[in-house]
Amino acid sequence: MTASPNARNINRAEVIDQQFLDHLAAIEDGRVPVSDCPGLPNADLLEMFDSQLVSRQIDLMARIKRGENKVFYTIGSSGHEGNAMLGRLTRHTDPAFLHYRSGAFVAERYRKVEDMDFVRDTCLSFAAAKADPASGGRHKVWGSRPLWVLPQTSTIASHLPKALGTALAIARGGRGQHELPVPGDAIAVCSFGDASLNHATAQSAINSAAWSRHQNLPVPLLMVCEDNGIGISVPTPARWVAESMSKRHGISYHYADGLDLAAGWPVVERAVSECRERRRPVFLHLRTTRLMGHAGTDFEIEYRPAAELEADEKADPLLRSAELIVARGLMTPGQIRSRYQALHQRCLDEADQADGAGRLNTLEEVVAPLAPLSRRDVIEAASRQVPEAARIDIFGSEAMLPEQRPPRHLAIQINQALTDLMVQYPEALVFGEDVARKGGVYTVTRGLSSRFGGHRVFNTLLDETTILGLAQGLGSMGYLPIPEIQYLAYFHNACDQIRGEACSLQYFSNGQFRNPMVMRIASLGYQKGFGGHFHNDNGIAALRDIPGLVIGCPSRGDDAAMMLRTMTALAHVDGRISAFLEPIALYMTKDLHEKDDGLWNFPYPPPGQCLTPWQARVYNEESEDVLVITYGNGVPMALRCARQMAQEYEVGVRVMDLRWLKPMDRRSMARHAAECSAVVVFDEGRPDGGMGEAVVTALVEAGVADRRVVRITGVDCYVPLGAAANLVLASENQLLEACRRVIT
């Protein structure tokens, strides 16, 4: 269908605005009969109607002021104003993760706390004003710390897993095991569209909610699908949402008419009550319609018949609400008209003021909440002593304290460090696939569940999206989550839970919300006897690209223990998210040069010792011929090459173990490179997007690339099974040859 030029030029916002005014006139002169529907209290109806009106005027303001370049967001809530019922019936202490068409919901929630101004705050947000209380001018989001609306930038349901995680965290804390920041009978609310229901993250969360309920776990999660029948331009098949969700095992389904407050109210009331009182997951299917297109730049007439658009516009929920108000004698059409027009002017005036309120003008202002680092407080927390009596009780005796035992390898020291951290932080939780009784695939968490119990160390279902969503929810409820991702390759299944959700929360809430975590990932290559791509993945480019994420990779046990303390302190003090990459091939490595030399076992650093953030470790610092910069598996390889170079050529090789992959110790890197005649960068990852590129770039930018620099990486290929893997991975022989080459 090709729209006529005249049809393209019709302003649908103006059509809808005028239709409402015409409808009031028709009610006034009797052309439209009005009828009531009992059950909805008058006070609730009046205030919800006002929330619907103000939400509509915010949308109209956005269309007008965007044309004046005063606001920057035109995705509206028109047609979805029935979600005012959710805002009314839930509490302001119920954490809410909202669909972007939630204007009326938020307007209703604003009524629950005194001295808050919905119109002013929303206009500040639309105008990207620095004074925006939701994000500080960084994005137009529905968000409020006093109202427990956690800002969402997602439009495709990737907020559902953390909403589920929040519900599970509330249920856990509500049993008296943890002091929650919200009441113990709170529920988590999340809303999304009918098109978003099809997204993998939505299905992950719904499945996990049902899986949890199947095991009789409390899951106080209210999932609200606002069904307007279309996703941008793609229609949702008739009855798809109802047929796919109404008989879902473990999920209670309710259908409510969001176009009629009186008809929808009792259903929404039952859904909220069931979720709160029975602590079970509820799916509320809310009928809505979409007015004014997907956004201001969306010309629906290009892909929808005019008759279809007009039918949707006739279903405008404000028309029915006005009829209810007049039928009950709560307002006359003239009074509604006056209120509607007054709100219109108020929104325009507030938008003008917001435009002049000032915006973010410096880079420092923009990035301020992204990656906070209270260095002194972090080091103090990471260096804090753990009560010795509690440690002795957990480890068994003073003689069994790990610092009293012989030097041990990486896997054991990670286990010991996790034990100490669980003692130090009662809010810390360890969870993931197989981490409890089995102790993980590599037994790194063995014994933790028996030491601390199943309420602090527990298995999850096999779904990385759920694991990381749970971690976010737990973090937002005051826990200190330490989730395990079984293999680095599996992280990519759920990358957006960290990139788009966890790491963005502090940034887009201007530091008002946080979801700290330390994410442990079994990582990297060179695993013998159990290989293949998914168990030897060394691709960390996706992690490095995430703003604000801390990435660490220890090569030895004592560094691992101290790094875990620092990462946990970063989470505790500054709410940071860290990825702790554990080299699988080094888990059980005890020897460095010869069999049974035990040189890759190290004494356990007692509590009180930690790693200074971003500080590298340097070996053979007196050597000035060649500097090898590496990390993880590359460190013992480099040390063996250094010994061989010294023995065969009397060449000194200094080795720098980066340890911290993001941020890197750029200053030390430049200093050590300047002190040596040549540099070899050894990166086991692939050539594109890996650490090798980052290191060489840092050296160039530091002005120390005037000496010979050689980069060794793996091949741009997946890691095959068996001995063929050695043809793809960067090798110790390649490193040795590079060291020889740079001195000739």
Side-chain angles (χ1 to χ4, degrees), residues 351-662:
D352 288 337
Q353 290 188 43
D355 178 52
R359 298 187 172 95
L360 299 171
N361 293 315
T362 68
L363 177 60
E364 289 74 19
E365 287 179 316
V366 170
V367 303
L370 174 64
L373 177 60
S374 308
R375 185 179 293 271
R376 181 179 299 176
D377 293 341
V378 166
I379 293 174
E380 180 182 341
S383 304
R384 194 168 297 148
Q385 293 290 335
V386 181
E388 187 166 346
R391 296 185 71 225
I392 290 172
D393 184 57
I394 288 293
F395 284 107
S397 69
E398 185 174 359
M400 293 298 291
L401 293 175
E403 62 269 28
Q404 305 296 334
R405 307 288 292 166
R408 300 304 299 269
H409 50 281
L410 179 67
I412 292 293
Q413 295 214 30
I414 292 174
N415 180 284
Q416 293 167 336
L418 288 171
T419 301
D420 270 332
L421 290 169
M422 296 284 281
V423 174
Q424 182 177 357
Y425 297 98
E427 70 273 26
L429 304 174
V430 171
F431 54 93
E433 300 162 18
D434 304 304
V435 302
R437 292 181 64 183
K438 179 176 174 60
V441 172
Y442 297 97
T443 69
V444 175
T445 57
R446 176 179 288 176
L448 292 183
S449 64
S450 61
R451 292 173 192 156
F452 298 101
H455 65 288
R456 294 190 64 194
V457 181
F458 53 91
N459 292 328
T460 65
L461 76 173
L462 196 157
D463 179 18
E464 289 74 24
T465 296
T466 292
I467 292 170
L468 296 180
L470 175 59
Q472 292 172 77
L474 288 165
S476 68
M477 289 294 103
Y479 288 96
L480 207 166
I482 308 176
E484 176 183 301
I485 300 298
Q486 202 164 79
Y487 289 100
L488 178 58
Y490 299 171
F491 166 75
H492 296 92
N493 299 337
C495 178
D496 190 54
Q497 287 301 300
I498 300 299
R499 186 192 184 281
E501 299 295 333
C503 281
S504 73
L505 181 61
Q506 287 199 96
Y507 181 72
F508 286 119
S509 70
N510 200 19
Q512 297 176 88
F513 290 100
R514 47 189 261 172
N515 42 209
M517 77 174 80
V518 178
M519 175 176 57
R520 296 178 44 248
I521 310 177
S523 305
L524 308 182
Y526 306 100
Q527 185 179 184
K528 294 185 174 69
F530 182 40
H533 162 55
F534 281 103
H535 305 114
N536 276 291
D537 188 19
N538 49 25
I540 62 173
L543 285 163
R544 290 184 56 242
D545 186 53
I546 299 174
L549 180 67
V550 173
I551 309 173
C553 181
S555 64
R556 44 189 272 183
D558 55 346
D559 278 358
M562 293 188 290
M563 181 178 283
L564 272 172
R565 291 169 190 162
T566 301
M567 284 184 166
T568 308
L570 283 164
H572 176 72
V573 173
D574 286 323
R576 297 293 293 275
I577 295 98
S578 297
F580 183 71
L581 308 185
E582 303 172 6
I584 298 171
L586 297 179
Y587 269 149
M588 306 300 173
T589 298
K590 304 175 182 65
D591 307 324
L592 179 59
H593 296 297
E594 283 88 31
K595 186 176 176 359
D596 297 329
D597 67 14
L599 293 178
W600 214 242
N601 286 330
F602 296 92
Y604 182 79
Q609 298 181 22
C610 68
L611 292 191
T612 300
W614 332 148
Q615 188 176 82
R617 179 186 285 277
V618 178
Y619 301 83
N620 308 332
E621 194 163 350
E622 73 285 352
S623 300
E624 298 183 349
D625 297 319
V626 179
L627 171 67
V628 175
I629 303 175
T630 188
Y631 65 96
N633 293 301
V635 177
M637 293 186 195
L639 291 173
R640 287 190 287 270
C641 288
R643 188 173 84 155
Q644 192 166 345
M645 291 293 292
Q647 291 173 345
E648 293 183 8
Y649 299 97
E650 297 184 351
V651 168
V653 176
R654 188 182 303 189
V655 176
M656 172 178 277
D657 177 1
L658 291 171
R659 300 195 293 198
W660 300 98
L661 307 187
K662 183 181 179 181

Side-chain angles (χ1 to χ4, degrees), residues 62-80:
R63 302 302 174 101
I64 294 168
K65 295 301 179 180
R66 182 69 197 98
E68 299 172 14
N69 203 35
K70 291 183 176 180
V71 303
F72 306 98
Y73 193 83
T74 57
I75 296 180
S77 303
S78 294
H80 285 248

